[in-house]
Amino acid sequence: FVTTPALSAVRTQRATALNLIMTEEEISAILSKANGCVESECAVSDVDDLIAELRDQQKVLSARLENIMNAVAHLQAANAAGDKRKTDDVRSIVKDMLRVFTTGLAGRAASRLQGRATSIASRTYSSTRPANDRIVIAVGGNALQRRGERLTIENMLKAAADMAPTIASLAREHELVLTHGNGPQVGELALERSAASFDVLGAESMGQIGYVLAQALSSAGCPTAPVICQVVVDMQHEAFRDPTKFVGPIYGAKEATALSQSFGWIMKPDGEYFRRVVPSPPPVEILQVEAIRTLLEKCPSVLPIACGGGGVPVSRVPSNPRTLVGVEAVIDKDRCGAKLANELDADGLIILTDGGGIWQNYGKPDAREMKLASPEYLLGTKAGKAFPGSMGPKIQAAIDFVQNSTKDDAWAAIGDLRDASKIFGNEEGTLIKKFSHSNGVVWRERKKVATGIGGPKLSSDQHKSG
Ligand SMILES: Nc1ncnc2c1ncn2[C@@H]1O[C@H](COP(=O)(O)OP(=O)(O)O)[C@@H](O)[C@H]1O
Ligand SMILES: NC(=O)OP(=O)(O)O
């Protein structure tokens, strides 16, 4: 922009083009500070004032630029479907983009208030949810590593790049915190360095995954701040006597016995194969929660990535509780995500997997998927207590979040990452919230057998060692 009074005449003639950059109000705020400075002695305080004004404007312009980049990413994604794209959806995105250009310049205060909520939003999926909910989204370690593929950084980057537009699109509409699993990755790191302890390996996996997600999300127009979180656990918890968390690859029976004898690993069956298990105590205290809250409140355009891998497990030394020590464990990221969501007073918790929602009689011919379930219903079925396989901790996390929330309409959802946008309208996945009719459960009509979407997870689909 130009900082001479002559600008206003030019501006009147080319109002539309210039208004896309700065409003009259914003330009005059800068001009008045600059003119005041030039007309006086340019005192230190005057220049400081001008600098502060310019910095403020710089932030506003960066946010606008980001909105435009988001619009481009969103339109590209919508247009990529070619002949199969839904024209109504594309039109709705373009309308939202127009709204950004016409209402997004209503002055600095409005722009700050709008934050991420109205930056650029496709509202195609939010018809049943108010925009700008505060939501914690948990993605599984398996979402970063497609089943059947080797766990390499290259494959992780590819999986993250596939996932990023979905998360970026939700982040434009809602106030998100992203958390992620680390089961496959932390197990792989443990294979490389068997002497390292799981707190350190956990922190390393968080750094690795946080970086990969940050890179992919940034390319999708969504700036992030990965935070390495420490999470206090109770060393007396029974989880230390009965390790349950699967980490790393699968092995055949002979290989598993040999590894157990060589390294003292505890191996448990996972389907027809075996996998290493480590203790997984519940999270008691998330030490960086205030930092995450501050990020949400002060930097609305930045998406915090927090409590990855359930956080680094630490315990307090009983004789000096300020002193922390690392713990040999891997916390479940869904349970930690639920705690994080409660502590941030979130509206929702979404747990994204590479399967569907919650199935009854999972993997059997008479399987059916829950569309809507109340926490009470889930607690009363084996789902809430001893649901087999990996779904148990997810269901428990959803129940914990909804029941511990101070909000009556708090909700949790479990579904496939690829269906993330449809989860909001309850078109896909399972929604968990308080309700009393229909005995606390509504079944999804159309899917009859859980052998396609949400079908049984075969161990042979998982990544193998090496
Ligand atoms: N009752 C069930 N309903 C749906 N999925 C189930 C059920 N029981 C086990 N699963 C399996 O759990 C998987 C999700 O768990 P997991 O792979 O551990 O998730 P993450 O993505 O967090 O690593 C689904 O893809 C599905 O194969
Ligand atoms: N820490 C954790 O729960 O990781 P996964 O989701 O990958 O199992």
Side-chain angles (χ1 to χ4, degrees):
F1 49 85
V2 183
T3 55
T4 66
L7 179 70
S8 59
V10 180
R11 195 173 58 242
T12 320
Q13 287 157 27
R14 292 193 292 133
T16 312
L18 285 171
N19 277 354
L20 292 182
I21 303 168
M22 288 171 75
T23 63
E24 298 200 6
E25 179 204 349
E26 289 162 352
I27 292 171
S28 63
I30 289 176
L31 290 183
S32 103
K33 291 250 160 33
N35 280 330
C37 188
V38 172
E39 279 158 20
S40 64
E41 299 291 297
C42 264
V44 171
S45 61
D46 290 345
V47 179
D48 280 347
D49 273 3
L50 178 59
I51 292 172
E53 190 62 45
L54 288 169
R55 284 219 170 107
D56 265 10
Q57 190 57 45
Q58 186 186 10
K59 278 189 211 151
V60 173
L61 287 176
S62 304
R64 277 179 201 155
L65 183 61
E66 195 193 319
N67 286 342
I68 294 171
M69 285 162 62
N70 287 342
V72 170
H74 216 82
L75 282 169
Q76 271 177 337
N79 231 22
D83 291 345
K84 292 197 185 113
R85 73 202 185 121
K86 291 187 184 151
T87 319
D88 282 352
D89 288 0
V90 175
R91 196 174 292 120
S92 142
I93 297 170
V94 174
K95 271 193 202 155
D96 283 334
M97 188 207 72
L98 280 173
R99 222 171 291 149
V100 167
F101 277 93
T102 49
T103 62
L105 298 177
R108 189 169 307 172
S111 174
R112 276 194 197 125
L113 279 175
Q114 284 163 357
R116 170 180 306 140
T118 55
S119 56
I120 173 69
S122 157
R123 294 175 195 272
T124 49
Y125 49 78
S126 63
S127 52
T128 56
R129 294 288 328 156
N132 210 19
D133 273 5
R134 178 173 287 189
I135 301 166
V136 172
I137 296 202
V139 290
N142 281 318
L144 277 173
Q145 187 232 341
R146 294 192 199 97
R147 294 187 199 277
E149 278 192 350
R150 287 195 56 213
L151 182 55
T152 61
I153 296 292
E154 201 184 16
N155 282 339
M156 277 173 67
L157 284 167
K158 261 196 263 161
D162 284 351
M163 158 196 328
T166 305
I167 304 291
S169 156
L170 295 178
R172 285 189 279 275
E173 184 109 345
H174 298 282
E175 191 182 46
L176 295 191
V177 176
L178 182 63
T179 188
H180 58 82
N182 70 342
Q185 295 80 0
V186 78
E188 202 74 25
L189 288 172
L191 273 175
E192 286 165 19
R193 296 211 327 282
S194 56
S197 58
F198 264 93
D199 56 321
V200 173
L201 295 173
E204 286 178 20
S205 71
M206 266 162 245
Q208 182 193 82
I209 300 168
Y211 156 66
V212 166
L213 288 172
Q215 195 192 80
L217 283 161
S218 166
S219 307
C222 178
T224 60
V227 179
I228 303 281
C229 296
Q230 293 172 79
V231 175
V232 177
V233 297
D234 172 9
M235 291 305 291
Q236 304 311 316
H237 196 276
E238 60 185 20
F240 287 98
R241 290 185 290 279
D242 178 23
T244 52
K245 184 85 197 154
F246 288 116
V247 294
I250 53 167
Y251 300 98
K254 276 190 192 154
E255 228 181 334
T257 311
L259 285 164
S260 176
Q261 282 166 356
S262 308
F263 299 118
W265 291 357
I266 303 173
M267 311 295 285
K268 283 193 177 167
D270 184 12
E272 57 189 296
Y273 290 85
F274 289 84
R275 245 177 127 187
R276 184 179 181 186
V277 283
V278 294
S280 190
V284 173
E285 190 190 349
I286 300 169
L287 295 180
Q288 278 71 29
V289 75
E290 271 317 307
I292 299 156
R293 206 193 313 276
T294 306
L295 265 174
L296 285 175
E297 280 157 19
K298 305 274 183 215
C299 305
S301 63
V302 170
L303 165 61
I305 301 177
C307 293
V312 182
V314 294
S315 70
R316 294 191 182 279
V317 173
S319 56
N320 181 6
R322 244 180 27 184
T323 306
L324 302 170
V325 286
V327 172
E328 278 277 81
V330 174
I331 300 171
D332 184 82
K333 63 112 190 1
D334 298 311
R335 298 204 69 173
C336 195
K339 183 162 185 60
L340 180 65
N342 282 133
E343 295 201 4
L344 293 174
D345 216 14
D347 303 284
L349 167 71
I350 300 182
I351 299 176
L352 296 175
T353 71
D354 62 349
I358 310 171
W359 292 78
Q360 186 190 48
N361 299 332
Y362 178 73
K364 297 185 184 152
D366 59 344
R368 53 179 180 166
E369 192 185 22
M370 297 171 200
K371 177 179 160 83
L372 186 60
S374 70
E376 292 72 24
Y377 171 81
L378 289 173
L379 280 170
T381 65
K382 69 175 182 172
K385 291 172 188 148
F387 219 66
S390 338
M391 198 35 81
K394 296 184 196 310
I395 296 173
Q396 194 55 56
I399 295 170
D400 287 351
F401 169 65
V402 174
Q403 289 199 323
N404 294 334
S405 173
T406 54
K407 301 183 178 186
D408 269 352
D409 56 353
W411 54 274
I414 300 177
D416 194 304
L417 176 70
R418 288 163 300 187
D419 297 329
S421 58
K422 293 186 180 156
I423 286 172
F424 280 84
N426 198 206
E427 290 168 62
E428 293 289 350
T430 303
L431 184 66
I432 299 107
K433 59 182 296 197
K434 290 179 191 159
F435 73 102
S436 50
H437 57 86
S438 312
N439 298 326
V441 66
V442 178
W443 300 99
R444 219 171 256 300
E445 286 297 322
R446 61 197 160 77
K447 291 182 197 159
K448 293 205 171 63
V449 179
T451 48
I453 290 178
K457 181 167 72 180
L458 302 173
S459 293
S460 54
D461 281 348
Q462 294 179 350
H463 64 293
K464 298 194 170 94
S465 66

